[in-house]
DNA sequence: TGCCAGGAGTTAG
DNA sequence: CTAACTCATGGC
C-alpha cells in the first residue's frame, strides 16, 4: 500500500542519517528501510511524506515511527534558547527523533559498542538475513530484524561469524532474558526515567550511553541525553572552555540546561559537532 | 602499518 | 570515585 502524510518541519535525510537508525539506505530521491515486519520505501518532497510498503501498514504507526506527532516548533522554542543548539537547529531543521521497535533498538545499540556506523549496519544486516524474515516490496527485498527468541537460540560462533565479536555474548544474553520475559522491555514504560535507565543497565553490554539511546529512540524519553566521545568533547569545548568533564557531569549539565527535551538537543548538537560546524 | 570507530566490564588504587 | 586494561575487527 501507498499513502502520503502532509508534514511540516520535517527533513527525511537528516532524520534517517543522523545515526539513530541503522536500517535505511538512500537510493536516489527515496530511502528504503525496514520498520517492524514491513519493507518500506519513503520519500519526502518538502510537503508530504510518501510511504510505500509491501504489507498492510498502520498509517498511524508509521507516522509515530517518524516522530511526526511531536510538536517540533515547540521543542525548538524550548531548546533553541541555547545559542549552539539554535545554530544546529538552523542547519538541521526538520531532524526528528524516531520511535523505533524496542527490542531492535536495544539490540542495535548493544552492537554499537566500540565500533562505527558502517560496521553496525553490517552486523544488523547480517543478523537479519540469517535469522529474520524475508520481506518483499516490488523487486526489492530485505529482512526483518529477528525476534529475541531467534537470537537467544543462536550459536555464539555463528554470531561471531557475523562480525559481532565480543558483542555476541552480550546480545545473546540479553536476547535470552527478553525472550523468556525475565526482562520485560515494555514494562519500562511504567518506570520513571532514572528507574528505567537503571533497569536497562542491569543488562550485560548496556551502560549509560546505550541505555540513554534506547530510552530516547524507542521510548520517547526525550530527557535522555546519550553521552559519547563526540558529545563529551563538544560539551567540554562549548560549555566548559575545553576543560575535561566526566561523562556523568556532561549528562547532568545537559538535562539541567535543556530540560525535558535534552535528547533532542543532543541529536542536533551531535550532528552539528560531527558534520556541519565549519559550514554553518 | 597504524589508528580509530556514537562503549562496557573488570580490576586496581 | 577515576584510571587503565581488555574485548575484537573492518575500513581507510
Amino acid at each position: 500500500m501507498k499513502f502520503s502524510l502532509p508534514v511540516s518541519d520535517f527533513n527525511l535525510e537528516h532524520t534517517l542519517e543522523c545515526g539513530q537508525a541503522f536500517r535505511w539506505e538512500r537510493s536516489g530521491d527515496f530511502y528504503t528501510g525496514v520498520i517492524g515486519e514491513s519493507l518500506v520505501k519513503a520519500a519526502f518532497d518538502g510537503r508530504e511524506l510518501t510511504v510505500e510498503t509491501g504489507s498492510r501498514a498502520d498509517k498511524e504507526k508509521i507516522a509515530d515511527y517518524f516522530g511526526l506527532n511531536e510538536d517540533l516548533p515547540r521543542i525548538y522554542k524550548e531548546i533553541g534558547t541555547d545559542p549552539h543548539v539554535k545554530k544546529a537547529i538552523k542547519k538541521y531543521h526538520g531532524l526528528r527523533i524516531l520511535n523505533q521497535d524496542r527490542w531492535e533498538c536495544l539490540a542495535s545499540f548493544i552492537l554499537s559498542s566500540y565500533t562505527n556506523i558502517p560496521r553496525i549496519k553490517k552486523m544488523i544486516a547480517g543478523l537479519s538475513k540469517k535469522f529474520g524474515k524475508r520481506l518483499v516490496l516490488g523487486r526489492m527485498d530485505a529482512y526483518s530484524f529477528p525476534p529475541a527468541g531467534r537470537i537467544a537460540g543462536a550459536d555464539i560462533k555463528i554470531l561471531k561469524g557475523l562480525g559481532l565479536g565480543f558483542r555476541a555474548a552480550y546480545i545473546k544474553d540479553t536476547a535470552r532474558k527478553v525472550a523468556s520475559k525475565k526482562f520485560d522491555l515494555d514494562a519500562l514504560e511504567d518506570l520513571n526515567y532514572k528507574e528505567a535507565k537503571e533497569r536497562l543497565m542491569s543488562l550485560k553490554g548496556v551502560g549509560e550511553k546505550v541505555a540513554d539511546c534506547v530510552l530516547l529512540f524507542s521510548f520517547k524519553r526525550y530527557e535522555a541525553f546519550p553521552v559519547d566521545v563526540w558529545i563529551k568533547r563538544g560539551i567540554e569545548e562549548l560549555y566548559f572552555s575545553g576543560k575535561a568533564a566526566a561523562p556523568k557531569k556532561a549528562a547532568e549539565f545537559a538535562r539541567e540546561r535543556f530540560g525535558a527535551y535534552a535528547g533532542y538537543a543532543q541529536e542536533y548538537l551531535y550532528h552539528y559537532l560531527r558534520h556541519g560546524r565549519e559550514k554553518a
Side-chain angles (χ1 to χ4, degrees):
Chain A
M1 67 184 279
K2 185 173 178 177
F3 58 88
S4 293
L5 303 163
V7 197
S8 56
D9 303 297
F10 183 62
N11 184 300
L12 188 62
E13 181 184 351
H14 294 155
T15 298
L16 296 181
E17 294 189 14
C18 70
Q20 59 177 325
F22 305 104
R23 309 220 62 199
W24 291 93
E25 295 297 335
R26 185 185 199 130
S27 24
D29 57 350
F30 63 91
Y31 285 85
T32 54
V34 176
I35 303 176
E37 301 276 293
S38 302
L39 175 53
V40 176
K41 193 171 152 183
F44 183 63
D45 64 2
R47 295 182 305 108
E48 287 186 322
L49 174 65
T50 300
V51 171
E52 197 178 341
T53 73
S55 54
R56 278 182 309 159
D58 186 336
K59 224 167 156 175
E60 194 45 48
K61 270 192 179 161
I62 298 275
D64 193 52
Y65 173 88
F66 282 102
L68 303 182
N69 298 323
E70 298 304 321
D71 183 350
L72 211 50
R74 192 170 71 80
I75 294 172
Y76 285 164
K77 204 174 167 188
E78 198 162 325
I79 62 176
T81 52
D82 178 276
H84 301 297
V85 175
K86 190 170 185 175
K87 269 192 230 168
I89 289 172
K90 205 168 198 176
K91 189 151 177 61
Y92 295 106
H93 190 99
L95 188 165
R96 285 173 184 264
I97 291 178
L98 299 173
N99 183 36
Q100 304 182 54
D101 174 82
R102 290 166 176 174
W103 156 244
E104 177 174 346
C105 189
L106 171 60
S108 297
F109 280 94
I110 286 175
L111 297 181
S112 77
S113 176
Y114 196 29
T115 189
N116 48 37
I117 290 175
R119 188 175 168 199
I120 299 167
K121 282 188 171 180
K122 200 173 171 184
M123 290 189 278
I124 292 171
L127 271 179
S128 299
K129 186 160 188 186
K130 186 84 185 168
F131 300 108
K133 196 191 292 179
R134 184 166 177 267
L135 310 172
V136 176
L137 174 61
R139 265 169 279 171
M140 301 184 293
D141 69 337
Y143 294 83
S144 65
F145 190 81
R150 295 283 290 141
I151 294 179
D155 184 343
I156 203 92
K157 280 182 191 159
I158 304 271
L159 296 177
K160 286 194 174 181
L162 295 170
L164 273 62
F166 62 90
R167 304 161 196 82
Y170 294 159
I171 200 171
K172 181 165 175 170
D173 191 71
T174 292
R176 253 196 295 229
K177 286 176 184 158
V178 170
S180 68
K181 307 278 184 190
K182 206 174 192 177
F183 191 100
D184 186 351
L185 258 176
D186 292 326
L188 297 180
E189 189 71 57
D190 302 324
L191 304 179
N192 66 33
Y193 164 69
K194 204 180 163 191
E195 292 168 338
K197 184 171 171 181
E198 275 175 17
R199 180 93 179 101
L200 278 168
M201 286 172 63
S202 71
L203 296 166
K204 284 181 192 164
V206 180
E208 297 227 12
K209 195 268 178 183
V210 170
D212 273 330
C213 285
V214 173
L215 290 172
L216 183 58
F217 301 140
S218 66
F219 282 88
K220 299 185 179 179
R221 296 295 177 95
Y222 299 120
E223 70 265 51
F225 190 89
V227 177
D228 59 41
V229 288
W230 286 91
I231 279 291
K232 182 173 179 296
R233 272 182 239 157
I235 295 274
E236 285 166 359
E237 184 193 325
L238 300 177
Y239 304 101
F240 291 93
S241 53
K243 277 186 283 184
K248 243 180 187 170
K249 293 273 182 191
E252 276 172 32
F253 167 80
R255 266 190 288 283
E256 209 162 293
R257 186 176 186 88
F258 305 122
Y261 291 100
Y264 254 98
Q266 193 272 8
E267 280 307 292
Y268 280 86
L269 280 176
Y270 178 79
H271 215 44
Y272 186 62
L273 289 164
R274 290 214 57 176
H275 305 294
R277 189 151 43 147
E278 67 283 351
K279 286 172 274 179

